[in-house]
């Protein structure tokens, strides 16, 4: 057998929503404990996992809890005891979990969670933007933002290896409804091959009766700072692990994605930075349209949001005349408008680069984002609009 033929082939190609893709990835990862609490648009993930458990396809303890706070607390406890764990949530559920997110990272527990992103109340919206995910940016979680059901499936599997290598929790997010409830073709890996890719690791600190340890102890001022700094250092160094795991996954299964993805950036004068499925899909199409109109446009997709891939972005922006960030969340009260724009602008300043930018807010509450909107952004950049916040698609 040739080296190319040795790459693991998909055992099946199914039509799956991104939510179902998560469930199949969790089954392939052979998790031990799943804590579930329903919230739109996450519910069908745990419904499908419950089917797998009930049918005997997944040997996991399925814990029905009374809230999302309890769901995260349950997987924190199970992970502390050495289990491979999973949970999922969206919107207000993620907000209710928020205090426990810090505990998962502070205790260095390899929790994996899926978040089909959804707008936050009030007013109530069940539709997709990234307000919920962006609110977790300072919780110490590695955070992916996927752009297809196939990538969701692959990333959840990668997330377990990344989490168990770095001893950090990992969140895999993607567009609520626009991806969570949209069906796409997904290639499924042979589950035995996934188990070989994800061998069980002996973790240094777990709760065992025969070797008692203390977790979550009180920290006085002479130690608390250092412990939190260790989380920051682990996050900063995790980019290397994320990249290595992605490359290893590509060799094993034939699919990999990198830290960021680019489209026609080689000679671009103007760049749009976006995240999620709808944003980057339309951004790429807009690049082609803009180039037909004489604008040398390019697009960059953020696949990894935390840790922020500053160095990789700076390399891509080094040759452009101006850039725009399309944010699907509002950083309320900030002069930067959107959270991703703030990080890009900070990275440029810290890197000593003076590239003018435009902060564009769009897609809030799943407001429709058309290709022509993205083309308009390229035209604005070409026409010299700089250093301002634009609320695109807003009715005034």
């Amino acid at each position: 057998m040739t080296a190319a033929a040795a790459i693991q082939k998909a055992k099946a190609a199914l039509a799956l929503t991104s939510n179902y893709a998560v469930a199949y990835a969790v089954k392939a990862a052979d998790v031990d404990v799943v804590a579930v609490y329903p919230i739109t648009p996450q519910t069908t993930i745990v419904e499908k996992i419950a089917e797998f458990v009930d049918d005997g396809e997944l040997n996991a303890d399925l814990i029905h809890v009374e809230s999302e706070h309890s769901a995260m607390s349950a997987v924190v406890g199970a992970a502390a005891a050495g289990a491979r764990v999973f949970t999922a949530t969206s919107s207000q559920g993620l907000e209710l979990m928020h205090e426990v997110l810090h505990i998962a990272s502070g205790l260095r527990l390899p929790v994996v969670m899926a978040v089909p992103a959804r707008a936050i109340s009030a007013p109530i919206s069940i539709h997709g933007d990234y307000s919920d995910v962006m609110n977790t940016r300072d919780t110490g979680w590695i955070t992916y933002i996927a752009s297809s059901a196939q990538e969701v499936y692959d990333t959840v599997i990668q997330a377990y290896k990344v989490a168990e290598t770095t001893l950090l929790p990992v969140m895999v997010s993607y567009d609520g409804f626009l991806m969570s409830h949209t069906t796409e073709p997904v290639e499924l890996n042979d589950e035995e091959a996934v188990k070989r890719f994800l061998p069980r690791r002996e973790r240094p600190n777990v709760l065992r009766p025969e070797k008692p340890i203390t977790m979550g102890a009180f920290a006085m001022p002479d130690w608390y700072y250092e412990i939190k700094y260790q989380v920051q250092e682990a996050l900063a160094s995790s980019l290397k692990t994320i990249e290595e795991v992605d490359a290893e996954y590509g060799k094993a299964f034939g699919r990999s994605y990198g830290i960021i993805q680019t489209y026609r950036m080689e000679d671009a004068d103007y760049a749009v930075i976006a995240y999620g499925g709808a944003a980057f899909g339309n951004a790429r199409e807009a690049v082609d349209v803009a180039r037909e109109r004489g604008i040398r446009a390019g697009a960059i997709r953020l696949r990894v949001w935390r840790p922020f891939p500053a160095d990789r972005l700076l390399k891509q922006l080094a040759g452009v005349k101006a850039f725009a960030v399309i944010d699907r969340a509002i950083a309320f009260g900030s002069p930067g408008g959107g959270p991703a724009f703030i990080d890009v602008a900070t990275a440029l300043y810290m890197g000593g680069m003076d590239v003018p930018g435009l902060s564009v807010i769009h897609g809030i509450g799943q407001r429709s984002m058309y290709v022509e909107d993205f083309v308009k952004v390229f035209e604005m950049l070409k026409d010299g609009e700089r250093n301002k916040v634009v609320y695109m698609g807003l009715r005034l």
Side-chain angles (χ1 to χ4, degrees), residues 46-291:
V46 293
E47 284 180 348
K48 179 57 74 173
I49 291 173
E51 285 182 25
F52 291 147
V53 173
D54 191 53
D55 292 342
E57 296 182 53
L58 175 61
N59 182 22
D61 288 320
L62 193 69
I63 306 174
H64 296 270
V65 295
E66 76 281 3
S67 73
E68 292 85 358
H69 186 284
S70 296
M72 182 53 61
S73 298
V75 294
V76 160
R84 180 174 284 175
V85 302
F86 175 78
T87 191
T89 192
S90 295
S91 188
Q92 308 302 135
L94 188 58
E95 302 313 303
L96 187 55
M97 284 182 176
H98 194 92
E99 68 166 299
V100 195
L101 300 182
H102 290 273
I103 293 169
S105 60
L107 293 180
R108 304 295 299 276
L109 298 173
V111 176
V112 173
M113 173 168 63
V115 179
R118 173 188 148 185
I120 294 175
S121 300
I124 295 171
S125 171
I126 64 167
H127 295 97
D129 65 27
Y130 279 81
S131 304
D132 53 359
V133 172
M134 293 301 168
N135 271 2
T136 70
R137 62 187 178 270
D138 299 326
T139 59
W141 282 59
I142 293 170
T143 305
Y144 293 90
I145 304 177
S147 67
S148 69
Q150 182 69 65
E151 185 185 348
V152 167
Y153 173 82
D154 296 328
T155 302
V156 169
I157 294 172
Q158 290 185 24
Y160 279 99
K161 189 150 203 169
V162 170
E164 291 167 6
T165 302
T166 62
L167 297 181
L168 286 170
V170 180
M171 184 186 312
V172 180
S173 61
Y174 49 94
D175 295 11
F177 281 112
L178 292 171
M179 288 176 61
S180 65
H181 286 63
T182 300
T183 300
E184 301 177 66
V186 177
E187 291 186 346
L188 302 179
N189 301 325
D190 178 79
E191 292 186 359
E192 290 303 315
V194 174
K195 288 177 184 177
R196 291 193 294 272
F197 179 79
L198 291 176
R200 299 284 175 161
R201 291 174 175 267
E202 184 69 24
R203 286 174 23 215
N205 295 308
V206 295
L207 297 174
R208 291 196 181 103
E210 65 273 15
K211 188 180 178 182
I213 62 171
T214 298
M215 281 194 178
F218 181 78
M220 292 293 286
D222 54 348
W223 282 113
Y224 182 88
Y225 189 3
E226 283 72 21
I227 293 167
K228 287 300 182 182
Y229 179 72
Q230 288 175 1
V231 175
Q232 168 63 12
E233 286 293 283
L235 264 177
S237 62
S238 69
L239 268 179
K240 183 173 183 290
T241 301
I242 293 167
E243 207 160 40
E244 289 172 350
V245 168
D246 184 62
E248 183 183 348
Y249 188 88
K251 289 179 182 177
F253 302 107
R255 297 179 302 274
S256 61
Y257 303 90
I259 303 293
I260 63 173
Q261 288 188 319
T262 62
Y263 184 68
R264 303 187 76 169
M265 281 298 300
E266 296 80 6
D267 62 343
D269 288 331
Y270 306 101
V272 159
I273 300 168
Y275 47 84
F280 192 59
N282 285 355
R284 285 184 297 180
E285 193 169 339
V287 166
D288 295 336
V289 174
R291 283 183 175 259

Side-chain angles (χ1 to χ4, degrees), residues 137 329-339 342 361:
R137 62 187 178 270
I330 302 170
F332 291 100
S334 164
I342 294 168
I361 310 295

